[in-house]
């Protein structure tokens, strides 16, 4: 009897151990591998659906259609960029072939001077292509792209003009020289061009742009203004406002993420400690904000609906009783924090690395990861493009996918 009881207990113990082992939560590496598998399935479909090389997959509409951008709009480089990251992870030639095709489709964009976004477009496509394949025919295209970007630089303002003249929300003000935080993302192209050509003008423009942004876009608590408008004749600051954020005094989550990323990469090229301090200040604002949810995927703006923040547009809190998150902001911030952690030591390094890893873990699961095929084509759900304009709310956005793929690569590189 006693023997039987012991063997029963042993069997029970073995069963329970087996159960616990099988319920063990996946490692970060397993989550990343699963996310790349999901991406492969979605992008197989997207490659078939998006066959016109003049229409760049941007989002998926609530009506159930892929929404495309044209070659001169800001997100064209992210689809080829995502394909390069797929190739880099899998080594599968089909992703390389597609990345080559979509990258080449952007060639004429090297002359685009309509806005500041050429860095986004050309560095995520040609930049990644050059890094991965070493194809030197990409270099003159990137150098011309950097020259085009510099055409929008004013030495009087000390900044690259982001958008052409336009009114602010509700025509409150006229912006003749608007510069947005996002523009920090275009500097990588200029720093690369300076190194490649030896022409220090690219470097000077990038550094001055970063300094001007540091001075005028960042508040004392390291929250940020989305848009700063300058006097073209004197360079004076005329307005500090927002277009895509909740209100002029609030902090738009994606703008903050662009800032962390942009000042971190500016430190990479300059080694100027003031840029590193700025990147850390922006990161700490993001990570320690009282409104950042526990899973570290931010609300689309840190101050939505808060007292003391008055929008210039009609905000009706009943339309979205649950304030939408912006998954793209989390993806961009995660990628940036991995790089930022490499410039820190000890506890501080671990803090940024852990935060970025937490973000990857969040994004690699429902409801953010598109495992249930909420749409057939994109990897992540739940981003916000432009809430005040009522555009792209709770939708997939190609740049959220792109920066998530990049963040996962950066995690894996941090383990090497
Ligand atoms: N650069 C445009 C955006 O972040 O929406």
């Amino acid at each position: 009897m006693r023997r039987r009881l012991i063997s029963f207990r042993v069997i029970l113990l073995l069963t329970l151990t087996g159960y616990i082992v099988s319920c063990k939560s996946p490692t970060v590496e397993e989550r990343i591998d699963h996310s790349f598998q999901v991406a492969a399935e979605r992008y197989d479909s997207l490659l078939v659906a998006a066959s016109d090389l003049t229409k760049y997959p941007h989002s998926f509409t609530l009506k159930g259609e892929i929404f495309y951008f044209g070659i001169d709009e800001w997100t064209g480089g992210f689809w080829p960029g995502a394909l390069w990251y797929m190739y880099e992870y899998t080594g599968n030639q089909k992703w390389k072939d597609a990345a080559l095709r979509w990258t080449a489709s952007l060639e004429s964009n090297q002359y685009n001077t309509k806005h500041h976004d050429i860095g986004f477009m050309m560095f995520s496509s040609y930049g990644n292509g050059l890094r991965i394949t070493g194809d030197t025919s990409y270099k003159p295209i990137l150098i011309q792209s950097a020259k085009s970007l510099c055409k929008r630089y004013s030495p009087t303002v000390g900044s690259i003009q982001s958008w052409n003249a336009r009114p602010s929300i509700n025509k409150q003000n006229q912006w003749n020289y608007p510069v947005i935080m996002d523009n920090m993302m275009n500097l990588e192209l200029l720093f690369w061009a300076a190194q490649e050509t030896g022409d220090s003008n690219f470097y000077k423009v990038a550094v001055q742009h970063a300094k001007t942004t540091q001075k005028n876009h960042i508040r004392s608590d390291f929250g940020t203004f989305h848009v700063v408008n300058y006097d073209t004749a004197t360079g004076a600051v005329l307005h500090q406002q927002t277009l895509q954020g909740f209100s002029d005094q609030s902090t738009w989550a994606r703008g903050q993420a662009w800032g962390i990323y942009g000042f971190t990469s500016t430190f990479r090229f300059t080694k100027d400690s003031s840029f590193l301090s700025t990147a850390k200040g922006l990161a700490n604002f993001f990570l320690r904000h009282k409104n950042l949810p526990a899973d570290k995927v931010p609300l689309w703006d840190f101050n939505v609906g808060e007292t003391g923040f008055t929008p210039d547009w009609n905000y009706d809190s009943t339309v979205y009783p649950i304030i939408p998150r912006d998954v793209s902001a989390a993806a961009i911030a995660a990628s940036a924090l991995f790089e930022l952690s490499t410039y820190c030591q000890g506890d501080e390094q671990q803090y940024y690395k852990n935060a970025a890893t937490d973000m990857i873990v969040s994004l690699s699961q429902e409801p953010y990861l598109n495992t249930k095929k909420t749409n057939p084509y994109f990897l992540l759900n739940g981003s916000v493009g432009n809430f005040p304009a009522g555009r792209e709310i709770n939708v997939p956005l190609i740049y959220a996918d792109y920066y998530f793929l990049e963040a996962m690569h950066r995690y894996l590189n941090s383990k090497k």
Side-chain angles (χ1 to χ4, degrees), residues 74 116-117 120 163 180 182 226 244 252 254-255 258 332 384-386 399:
W74 80 281
H116 69 156
D117 291 314
F120 276 116
W163 300 326
I180 61 175
D182 324 22
H226 177 206
Q244 283 155 272
W252 176 48
R254 193 162 59 253
W258 291 140
I332 297 157
V384 172
N386 187 340
Y399 47 95

Side-chain angles (χ1 to χ4, degrees), residues 173-380:
N173 293 304
Q174 172 63 18
W175 294 334
N176 286 328
Y177 201 97
V179 179
I180 61 175
M181 180 50 100
D182 324 22
N183 206 339
M184 285 298 299
M185 299 296 286
N186 295 305
L187 305 186
E188 227 175 321
L189 171 67
L190 297 185
F191 284 124
W192 172 85
Q195 280 180 345
E196 186 58 37
T197 62
D199 181 347
S200 62
N201 190 49
F202 293 121
Y203 184 88
K204 284 182 194 148
V205 167
V207 169
Q208 188 52 54
H209 180 93
K211 285 187 174 162
T212 307
T213 305
Q214 198 176 33
K215 189 161 143 225
N216 299 324
H217 276 259
I218 303 174
R219 306 185 190 107
S220 56
D221 66 351
F222 284 98
T224 49
F225 294 107
H226 177 206
V227 187
V228 177
N229 177 45
Y230 294 92
D231 184 322
T232 50
T234 65
V237 173
L238 296 178
H239 308 106
Q240 290 168 306
Q241 295 193 261
T242 196
L243 188 84
Q244 283 155 272
F246 182 71
S247 76
D248 294 341
Q249 298 307 322
S250 74
T251 294
W252 176 48
R254 193 162 59 253
Q256 193 74 12
W258 291 140
I260 303 168
Y261 196 119
F263 279 100
T264 302
S265 54
T266 297
F267 175 73
R268 186 200 319 154
F269 290 101
T270 61
K271 296 295 172 223
D272 177 335
S273 62
S274 90
F275 294 133
L276 182 60
S277 303
T278 298
K280 288 182 192 175
L282 298 173
N284 295 343
F285 177 97
F286 192 108
L287 295 174
R288 296 175 190 164
H289 200 282
K290 66 179 170 39
N291 294 336
L292 183 71
D295 67 3
K296 297 191 173 61
V297 178
L299 311 179
W300 65 271
D301 184 295
F302 283 98
N303 309 105
V304 183
E306 276 198 317
T307 320
F309 297 88
T310 314
D312 287 340
W313 49 286
N314 285 331
Y315 174 61
D316 180 353
S317 61
T318 61
V319 179
Y320 288 94
I322 297 174
I323 298 170
R325 311 289 190 90
D326 181 10
V327 162
S328 76
I332 297 157
S335 185
L337 291 170
F338 278 123
E339 180 171 9
L340 180 58
S341 75
T342 65
Y343 307 132
C344 305
Q345 276 85 42
D347 289 351
E348 194 178 46
Q349 176 172 75
Q350 208 49 51
Y351 173 67
Y352 293 128
K353 218 188 228 183
N354 289 350
T357 307
D358 289 349
M359 288 170 173
I360 285 193
V361 168
S362 296
L363 298 184
S364 66
Q365 300 177 65
E366 293 278 336
Y368 309 119
L369 195 78
N370 181 20
T371 38
K372 288 200 186 132
K373 262 191 161 186
T374 312
N375 75 79
Y377 307 115
F378 292 86
L379 178 58
L380 292 174

